[in-house]
Amino acid sequence: MELGLVGLGKMGGNMRERIRRAGHTVIGYDRNPDLADVSSLKEMVDRLQGPRVVWVMVPAGAATQATIDELGELLSEGDIVVDGGNSRWTDDEKHAEELRAKGIGFVDCGVSGGVWGLENGYALMYGGDAEDVAKVQPIFDALKPEGDFGSVHAGKVGAGHFAKMVHNGIEYAMMQAYAEGWELLEKVDSVTDVREVFRSWQEGTVIRSWLLDLAVNALDDDEHLEKLRGYAADSGEGRWTVEAAIDNAVPLPAITASLFARFASRQDDSPQMKMIAALRNQFGGHAVENSK
């Protein structure tokens, strides 16, 4: 089938290549002309035969909204827009309603696979009406990993991005657990080869995982991670996961703590710890360190 693909960065560019390898035609547009197959969204739409399917892979929020707004003016009744970025599920509901008024279908798709997706395939979680999903199914089949698993029609519009959001929340907590274990192992004198301890866990243990494999890769590159600064950003999906937990009264202590740990990583000198140090000094006479 034919596909229009908007956004050809690290993920989108590799997705274009994987879809083409499966025998489909992809016409890609990106603001960077060095990456694009066409010079505008209009040219991309004009080159596609109807009913058209256009997949959007641009940053969540204003960029996605602007792209969908423009596509809403260019596409025709019976066409489909797929949002494969990291949009919030509530935005999906809004976009679906806006496009439905023009007779244009909408499918949201959470995509996981990162830079490894070109060769390994992408885990896909998509939401939307069955009829709309069916029109995109050949592309889902081209992108997913080989085998029976790796893609799911998670439910109605918004379900795909909601599932991907929870996936990323779990990812936050798993990474935090590996990181805390690594720091503790590095701290004690009795363990003399932390990297090889991590490597030994790759086989036969219940905590083996792809994330563990990636941790070992990182330690092979920089055994004590001395080249890195202890700073971790968050994409927003961890926050949305915690907010959804609050809205639904679901306790998520591990995921919430992992998100807050990332916030702490951005503080060179924690204001909270200043208060704790002051209080310990006040009630117990514990020593405090002066700022430099």
Side-chain angles (χ1 to χ4, degrees), residues 116 187 221 242:
W116 302 87
K187 192 73 172 180
D221 291 339
V242 173

Side-chain angles (χ1 to χ4, degrees), residues 4-249:
L5 182 58
V6 184
L8 302 171
K10 292 179 181 179
M11 286 277 282
N14 282 344
M15 289 168 63
R16 174 175 60 177
E17 177 61 23
R18 185 172 176 89
I19 295 167
R20 285 176 173 172
R21 289 180 185 179
H24 302 293
T25 297
V26 183
I27 301 172
Y29 169 71
D30 193 277
R31 290 186 300 175
N32 182 348
D34 295 333
L35 302 176
D37 302 315
V38 291
S39 60
S40 67
L41 280 178
K42 184 178 187 306
E43 184 182 354
M44 181 196 71
V45 169
D46 288 345
R47 285 179 53 178
L48 294 169
Q49 296 183 5
R52 305 173 185 88
V53 176
V54 176
W55 189 302
V56 178
M57 285 295 293
V58 301
T64 294
Q65 182 68 61
T67 302
I68 290 177
D69 287 346
E70 187 172 353
L71 287 172
E73 299 301 319
L74 295 171
L75 295 174
S76 304
E77 186 173 345
D79 293 344
I80 303 288
V81 172
V82 181
D83 180 5
N86 285 330
S87 294
R88 189 174 177 135
W89 81 97
T90 50
D91 289 343
D92 296 325
E93 297 166 351
K94 175 175 178 287
H95 296 153
E97 183 177 349
E98 292 169 348
L99 293 173
R100 189 182 300 114
K102 302 172 182 288
I104 301 168
F106 179 84
V107 175
D108 64 287
C109 183
V111 182
S112 181
V115 296
W116 302 87
L118 175 58
E119 299 301 329
N120 297 342
Y122 299 88
L124 306 172
M125 297 140 271
Y126 35 92
D129 295 341
E131 181 181 354
D132 292 338
V133 167
K135 294 177 182 178
V136 191
Q137 195 63 53
I139 302 302
F140 292 146
D141 292 342
L143 287 171
K144 68 178 288 293
E146 294 184 10
D148 297 332
F149 307 106
S151 70
V152 60
H153 184 184
K156 58 187 179 180
V157 165
H161 280 143
F162 194 94
K164 175 58 162 47
M165 176 195 74
V166 174
H167 165 280
N168 282 23
I170 294 170
E171 179 186 292
Y172 274 47
M174 291 176 66
M175 287 193 288
Q176 185 66 27
Y178 285 128
E180 291 175 7
W182 172 79
E183 182 178 355
L184 182 57
L185 287 167
E186 284 276 335
K187 192 73 172 180
V188 301
D189 294 332
S190 58
V191 179
T192 57
D193 199 335
V194 175
R195 178 176 59 187
E196 293 310 309
V197 170
F198 261 59
R199 197 188 311 278
S200 75
W201 292 344
Q202 290 181 279
E203 299 293 340
T205 74
V206 296
I207 64 167
R208 64 188 184 275
S209 71
W210 187 31
L211 276 176
L212 178 62
D213 296 340
L214 295 176
V216 172
N217 289 348
L219 295 174
D220 281 339
D221 291 339
D222 182 5
E223 183 175 358
H224 301 289
L225 303 183
E226 294 169 328
K227 300 174 184 177
L228 301 178
R229 178 188 169 204
Y231 176 101
D234 68 284
S235 64
E237 288 177 297
R239 301 184 189 210
W240 300 341
T241 305
V242 173
E243 290 171 3
I246 294 169
D247 291 342
N248 291 278

